[in-house]
Each structure stands twice: as C-alpha cells, then as structure tokens.
Amino acid sequence: MTQTIGSTNPEAPTTPADTAPAGIPRTSAPSRVPAALKRRIPKYSDLAPLMQFKKPEFSRSAKLQRASTIWELRDMAKRRTPQAPFDYTDGAAEAEITLRRAREAFLDIQFRPGILRDVSSVDLGTDILGKPSRLPVGIAPTGFTRMMQSEGEYAGSQAAEAAGIPYTLSTMGTASIEDVAEAAPNGRNWFQLYLWTDRDRSLELIERAAKAGNDTLMVTVDTAVAGARLRDVRNGMTIPPALTLKTVLDASYRPAWWFNFLTHEPLTFASLSRYTGTVADLINSMFDPTLTFEDLDWLRETWKGKLVVKGIQTVEDARRVVDHGADGVILSNHGGRQLDRAPIPFHLLPEVKQAFQADNTDAAIMLDTGIMSGADIIAALALGADFTLIGRAYLYGLMAGGRAGVDRTLQILEKDMVRTMALLGVSKLSELTPDHVRILNK
C-alpha cells in the first residue's frame, strides 16, 4: 500500500492543477473570500455607533478648549483685539530680529530621549527663590495689561494663584499692588520695579510691595531709554488708546473689546498718576538712565525679601549683579522690545550656568523671551535654567478669553511639559540634564 506524504514546503504544489504537465496552462482554484471582505448592505445597528453627531458649541469656553497650542490662542487674540493693543503685545523693536531669533532658538534644538524609563507619573514641581512652585514657569511682568483685555492683572494673578505659580505685577501694571494682593490673597505675588529718577517714589513702591505681601522684588535694568517699537509708532499707540478714525473702524470688527474697555474703570497704573501719551515718551520721561550698580546696592539694603535682576544679557553682568547681592538673575532681552539684535537668552543660558557653577553660587537662573510651548520650557530647564517666565504667551490667552484664556494657556503649557518629559524618559525636573538637548546650527 502506497502512502502519500504531504510536503512541508509552503511553496510546494497542493492541488491537481499545480501538477499540470508542462505546456498546459495552470488553473487556480477559486480562493475563499473572508467574510469580513464580502460586500453587504450595512445594518442600522452597525451604523448607529458611527452616527453620534456632536452638538456644535460656539461659546468662548468651547473655543478656548479647542485651542491646543499658544499659537492658536494668538490667532484667537488677534481676531478679538484691536490692532494697536494687539501689536503692542505681539510686536518688538525695530525689525523684530531679536524676537524672531529668540523663537527660532527653541526650534533649532534636538531632543535626545531616553527609553525604557518609568514615566507613569511626571512631577513638574520645583522650588524657586526658597518657595515651591507647582510648575517651573511663572507669569512675567507686563505693562498696560488691562488695555489688552479688561480683566488684565486680575485674571493673570488669579490664574497663577489657581495654578500654584508666581505672578509678577509690573510697575506699569494697570492694577494696584494692593488690589492684586486682594484679588489673589493666597497667590505668590512678586513685584517688578523700574527705578525712577525720583527715588522717593521708588521707595514708596518698595514699601507698598512689602506691605502687600510680595516676597520677591524684580528690578528691570534694560530700559535706560525706550526701544524703537515701530508697530506702536505706525499705529499711533497711546495710553490710553485714542479714538481716532482708524480705531473706530477697527472697533467695528471687535465690538466686545470696546464695550469692555469703555464700561470698566479707566486705565490707571500700579505706580503712576494717570498718564496720557505714548509708551516711549512715558519711559523716557520717568525711568532713570543714570542707573548703576550702586543703585543695586541701595535696593539690596532697602528690600528685605528676595531680589532678582531682569534684563541680564552677558555672563559678566550676571556675575556682577550676584556680587552686588542679587538672589537671582533673569536672562532676558525684554522680549526683543528694546535692543534689536540683542543676545538670545536661550543661547546665553549654558554659559551663565557654567559661570555660576564655577563661582559656586546658588543664585537662581531664570529665563524669558521666545517661550511658546511647554517643550521650550523643558529645553530651557535641561540647559540649566531653574525657572522660566512667560509674557506674550499668557497675554495671548488673556486677549483670547480673559481669565479662562490665561487658565487655558497654563493648561496647554502643563500638558506640553508632561508629554515632553515622558517622551524624554524623565519623570522629574531634577533628572533633566544638558544631555537631553542638543543645540543645532551653532
């Protein structure tokens, strides 16, 4: 009896047709069509799960929640805000080269992720200037903030309080030191100071800030004269905004902004009597161009809390202000709004970090300018920053939706940071190192 043993070769013939003599065309047996690939008329029960149409939502809150990036909040802000105040926020000095380079600096990097790390829980908490912050970012001082949107500093300080991060009120802020402290009584409030030619007025501000519970004084040192902010010049930007034919036409497309502006308290300042004129005229008339390191010594003796210096653009100046008593430095070129073609804080950061390590100083290194995502913040921290500050990014949220818009800004940044950390294989900020970031094209 003959036994046929099947071949174990998957390519061997398996049907009679496969064994046809040479010269005779082979015929293939019809293949079986899987049931999933057969055509059929769909049943309603199959279609029902696919036909759950979401009710359209047109509220401002819904629009804010749909924003996934700071750039999308910027687009919303531009639609809702008249050109002059929007450009005051969005613009920079002269050809705006500095601002463009600052943003490009964060783009021209390469992250270097680690794999097979436990990142099931990512902690963004940190300590800055002796106190905790839930996120490694705070709100920078911005002037004329209620001009951008009527909630202004109140929205910023309350959003910062809710997020557990510091908020900085500007000397040029449009809410008083006392009102901000009352609006966010449990927040960590800092005060930013421009030293004036009138030292008595400066001393008064310092005393008010201390009395209101501000634990940190931030002195800005890069405004000896006003930068050439050409968008403001072209827009005829004044404080408060003037109702010219151009602004009236602009208002017709943005009635909500004008309604809010005209039905709330007129713009006043944290530290000034009511002022009418251009921003440049105000800076040039009020701020002291004779400011020196001796004035920093005076501030150190006068202010008992933490003292940080904002506007550092060289390693030498970073070291020197620490020698004169500063507890921290803020690498900043004023958002590109003063000297065009100024040094880029992100590029300066590794040099300052190296210098501070060589000096064995524990002074804090903070950074602003150009930050538009949580990934930017993580990159700065990896290269040596202890903390970061946002200005425009939060103002875009403010203009897009008031307090809710600022909240959304911080939510977007937090989500970005958590995702970036996890993808880098890092679960806490202390694990970030310069090895996680490579600066390209340098």
Side-chain angles (χ1 to χ4, degrees), residues 20-31:
I24 300 175
R26 295 181 178 183
T27 60
S28 298
S31 60

Side-chain angles (χ1 to χ4, degrees), residues 238-259:
T238 61
I239 306 298
L243 287 171
T244 63
L245 176 60
K246 180 179 179 180
T247 57
V248 169
L249 291 174
D250 196 30
S252 66
Y253 297 99
R254 301 165 178 89
W257 185 94
W258 281 102
F259 177 77

Side-chain angles (χ1 to χ4, degrees), residues 260-298:
N260 284 333
F261 179 76
L262 296 173
T263 57
H264 285 85
E265 177 70 21
L267 295 185
T268 55
F269 301 94
S271 54
L272 304 173
S273 301
R274 190 162 296 173
Y275 176 85
T276 300
T278 67
V279 176
D281 288 343
L282 176 59
I283 292 175
N284 289 332
S285 65
M286 298 298 298
F287 300 158
D288 188 355
T290 69
L291 188 64
T292 68
F293 283 93
E294 292 180 358
D295 297 288
L296 190 58
D297 293 333
W298 174 79

Side-chain angles (χ1 to χ4, degrees), residues 305-318:
K306 297 294 185 180
L307 177 66
V308 298
V309 179
K310 180 177 182 291
I312 299 298
Q313 299 174 68
T314 68
V315 174
E316 295 75 18
D317 282 345

Side-chain angles (χ1 to χ4, degrees), residues 15 34-35 45 53 75 79 88 113 124 132 136 142 153 170 172 197 199 251 284 304 317 324 403 436-437:
T15 65
S45 59
F53 297 108
D75 291 341
R79 291 193 296 269
Y88 175 79
L124 295 175
T142 58
E153 289 86 359
S170 171
M172 310 304 293
T197 52
R199 287 293 186 270
N284 289 332
K304 305 308 178 186
D317 282 345
H324 283 261
R403 161 69 194 278
H436 286 109
V437 177

